[in-house]
Amino acid sequence: MNHESFYTLKHNMNQAVLMPSRKWVRWALLLVCVAGVPNLDSTTVSAEEPNAKDATVSRPNIVLIVADDLGYGELGCYGQTKIRTPRLDQLAAEGIKLTNFYSGNAVCAPSRCCLMTGKHPGHAHVRNNGDPKIDPAVREALKLEFPGQYPLPVDEVTIAEYLKSVGYRTGAFGKWGLGHFGTTGDPNEQGFDLFYGFNCQRHAHNHYPNFLWRNRVKEVQPGNDRTLHGETYSQDQFVNEACEFIRQSVAEDKTQPFFAYLPFAVPHLSIQVPEEEVDAYDGVIEEADYEHHGYLKHPRPRAGYAAMVTRMDEGVGQVVDLVDSLGLGENTLIMFTSDNGPTYDRLGGSDSDYFNSASGMKGLKGQLDEGGIRVPMIARQTGVVPAGRTSDWIGAWWDFLPTITDAAGVEVDASTTDGISFLPLLHGDDAAQQSHEFLYWEFPGYSGQQAIRMGNWKAIRKDLSKRLKKGQTEPPAFALYDLSKDLAESNDVSASHPDVMAKIEAIAKQQHVPSEQFPLRVLD
């Protein structure tokens, strides 16, 4: 199926956005099968059947786990000394750890858009957080209590949709943030059979919510009232639901592959976690007074934050243990990453300085400096991804779509993505791994920013959100850093490298496609 056909099919599906999502997804896939469209298998294709791309392909299960605001340096395997993360450290030891990997953007929603669509921020539709208006009739029909973020449009094709096109079961468990139910960004309209969790990221600011969504149905969470403590911890719910999805997938048809996407809501604030997890850090972490900035006050903020990361680590371990106990380790690609850098200004009691959360790099969440966008990336597939490797290959979140579809044997038009597959790297074939000529980011928030990484060069400029001042004829200049010598981005060497700066300027001009909704006003 070509990309235009996929767009047309999605448009027709979304004309009835308030109808039950599964019915419309099945209808769409039925049309694909009946029409005999090339390059796509039927919905009943097994994990061992051939497809048009590779007659010998064996489609692996995919588990993609995403932490929320977890810093590059907050895992033991990335140098953390205060927070315990034994299961993720083990996962890295059993697979590969990437040290030059980047998020899609500096905050949540635009980063996740890059992940789902395979486009960098200069081409992606969603480029900032925000709460757009929703049709009042839709809001009333679905009893939506939270605003929801900017929705993915109809014509975007997500990882989940590509995988469904070759028969994958698809489930998402955690925080969505790319369009509320009843909009074109509805996760059920963007390829997921099952969504369980927070649709709106504002809903996700409390980890003991009154309810969570199961597709378009609210499920009351027992013993919770959105205060500091509760009886039903949402993070545990996401892990439990993901495990049940995996069990059911195997029980119903063990030859049909699954895609389990776990966009966790921790360690994003508020600091909330079961008390036994916090107690385990008593006497281990030097505590500090809580500095309140807009979130629930926690009496032991440093211990509470560390406990949230450790609880998440345990949840990852539960998922990995289940995969292994079902005998799926060799046919399940498990990947773990974070959506942006760690939190700033002691917000909500967080303390990124104390934990060295950005590993000494400049910047935190909201900034395109290294600390705001360089993130952990771990992958394991037993016997397929060679164990114990560390790689400095340079990649970013828009590489997930081509990598996952490559693993699944799905044909994707290279012109529709800014990413490249890093599957050869995962499989240990470094010689066959393609490299990026550059990585490009833009972000209209936090003053407006652009950043480019080109080999060891990193260029960044800020203050792009406001129009040129009176008498100003040129936008702010890029600063240039050599990351091989200056990971802290402290020594601007742009003046001594005019040839590099000329390339940077050309890339910035070429890769920025103006967005009416998310303008960089100095440039647009």
Side-chain angles (χ1 to χ4, degrees):
M1 173 180 278
N2 63 36
H3 222 62
E4 288 187 8
S5 298
F6 213 141
Y7 287 171
T8 301
L9 188 59
K10 281 196 68 179
H11 175 75
N12 292 337
M13 290 164 57
N14 279 279
Q15 297 311 300
V17 72
L18 287 178
M19 296 189 69
S21 177
R22 290 188 180 183
K23 171 182 175 181
W24 283 90
V25 171
R26 289 171 180 163
W27 168 78
L29 291 174
L30 179 62
L31 286 182
V32 172
C33 299
V34 171
V37 178
N39 296 330
L40 295 180
D41 296 329
S42 76
T43 55
T44 58
V45 65
S46 80
E48 302 301 324
E49 287 179 347
N51 79 346
K53 181 176 179 180
D54 185 347
T56 63
V57 70
S58 176
R59 294 192 177 89
N61 305 306
I62 307 291
V63 177
L64 176 56
I65 305 171
V66 175
D68 193 342
D69 291 3
L70 181 81
Y72 179 89
E74 292 186 328
L75 303 181
C77 54
Y78 282 85
Q80 177 60 222
T81 59
K82 296 182 175 73
I83 303 173
R84 293 187 289 261
T85 57
R87 297 311 306 269
L88 282 161
D89 300 344
Q90 178 185 352
L91 196 71
E94 294 173 352
I96 188 171
K97 177 182 72 173
L98 274 59
T99 59
N100 268 311
F101 200 75
Y102 293 88
S103 62
N105 216 313
V107 296
C108 178
S111 195
R112 290 160 197 250
C113 179
C114 294
L115 170 70
M116 279 289 120
T117 65
K119 296 178 180 179
H120 70 46
H123 297 152
H125 179 77
V126 179
R127 304 186 190 183
N128 200 353
N129 289 338
D131 303 321
K133 294 181 179 179
I134 297 177
D135 184 335
V138 173
R139 183 174 292 283
E140 174 61 27
L142 296 177
K143 306 299 181 186
L144 304 181
E145 298 180 25
F146 294 91
Q149 282 61 61
Y150 289 103
L152 290 175
V154 170
D155 58 0
E156 291 288 3
V157 184
T158 66
I159 292 174
E161 289 177 297
Y162 278 121
L163 294 181
K164 277 189 68 65
S165 74
V166 289
Y168 275 73
R169 300 169 185 261
T170 58
F173 311 90
K175 185 174 89 172
W176 177 240
L178 289 173
H180 222 321
F181 296 109
T183 74
T184 57
D186 185 331
N188 295 145
E189 300 298 338
Q190 292 290 345
F192 286 100
D193 298 322
L194 171 62
F195 172 80
Y196 183 87
F198 301 109
N199 184 297
C200 174
Q201 54 200 43
R202 292 191 182 278
H203 186 192
H205 286 182
N206 188 294
H207 301 295
Y208 288 104
N210 298 111
F211 68 90
L212 292 170
W213 291 96
R214 185 181 299 277
N215 292 338
R216 299 178 183 184
V217 177
K218 293 179 180 178
E219 288 194 351
V220 173
Q221 302 299 293
N224 291 356
D225 58 5
R226 284 184 62 82
T227 53
L228 185 64
H229 302 290
E231 296 179 10
T232 309
Y233 190 50
S234 57
Q235 175 67 29
D236 293 349
Q237 292 287 79
F238 304 149
V239 171
N240 294 338
E241 290 291 334
C243 287
E244 182 59 23
F245 170 80
I246 292 171
R247 289 191 196 94
Q248 287 186 0
S249 296
V250 174
E252 292 180 19
D253 185 353
K254 64 182 179 180
T255 67
Q256 184 180 9
F258 59 79
F259 172 44
Y261 172 48
L262 285 78
F264 290 154
V266 294
H268 192 294
L269 308 167
S270 296
I271 295 175
Q272 293 172 288
V273 65
E275 284 295 288
E276 66 268 19
E277 207 74 69
V278 185
D279 292 342
Y281 277 100
D282 278 350
V284 177
I285 284 182
E286 180 184 357
E287 198 49 83
D289 291 337
Y290 180 89
E291 294 185 12
H292 180 60
H293 294 287
Y295 292 88
L296 293 170
K297 183 175 181 178
H298 195 284
R300 294 178 285 174
R302 285 179 177 169
Y305 185 88
M308 289 173 72
V309 176
T310 297
R311 187 76 164 205
M312 177 195 68
D313 180 79
E314 294 167 358
V316 172
Q318 287 179 248
V319 175
V320 173
D321 287 347
L322 175 62
V323 167
D324 290 347
S325 70
L326 294 172
L328 301 176
E330 294 183 0
N331 197 42
T332 302
L333 175 59
I334 301 173
M335 293 185 285
F336 175 89
T337 188
S338 176
D339 68 346
N340 49 247
T343 307
Y344 51 85
D345 292 345
R346 296 293 310 277
L347 190 68
S350 61
D351 198 338
S352 296
D353 289 339
Y354 175 76
F355 291 112
N356 193 24
S357 299
S359 292
M361 292 181 286
K362 180 181 179 181
L364 297 164
K365 176 182 178 178
Q367 302 296 332
L368 295 180
D369 307 288
E370 289 293 289
I373 54 175
R374 193 183 292 210
V375 293
M377 164 56 200
I378 298 167
R380 190 206 81 167
Q381 186 176 351
T382 306
V384 177
V385 175
R389 297 183 68 220
T390 297
S391 173
D392 61 1
W393 180 79
I394 301 169
W397 266 34
W398 45 93
D399 295 322
F400 277 120
L401 186 148
T403 301
I404 289 171
T405 54
D406 190 11
V410 185
E411 291 278 10
V412 175
D413 183 348
S415 69
T416 65
T417 174
D418 296 301
I420 59 178
S421 171
F422 56 93
L423 194 66
L425 176 74
L426 298 185
H427 288 177
D429 191 356
D430 292 6
Q433 179 58 56
Q434 182 183 356
S435 296
H436 283 281
E437 179 184 352
F438 61 84
L439 298 176
Y440 172 86
W441 296 265
E442 66 177 63
F443 177 42
Y446 294 69
S447 87
Q449 306 163 60
Q450 277 183 312
I452 294 164
R453 175 145 188 193
M454 186 174 65
N456 285 325
W457 297 114
K458 168 74 176 295
I460 184 169
R461 63 179 171 181
K462 302 183 180 182
D463 297 322
L464 303 178
S465 288
K466 297 181 180 179
R467 300 186 188 280
L468 291 174
K469 297 178 181 178
K470 186 176 181 180
Q472 185 180 4
T473 59
E474 297 291 335
F478 280 100
L480 181 69
Y481 305 100
D482 182 352
L483 295 181
S484 68
K485 302 173 183 177
D486 184 20
L487 195 57
E489 296 172 282
S490 59
N491 182 27
D492 179 7
V493 296
S494 57
S496 56
H497 294 279
D499 54 335
V500 175
M501 295 310 299
K503 293 179 181 178
I504 293 294
E505 293 282 358
I507 291 169
K509 183 176 182 179
Q510 180 188 52
Q511 297 303 312
H512 168 62
V513 174
S515 167
E516 183 176 346
Q517 201 165 33
F518 305 102
L520 292 176
R521 288 187 170 84
V522 166
L523 306 179
D524 300 335

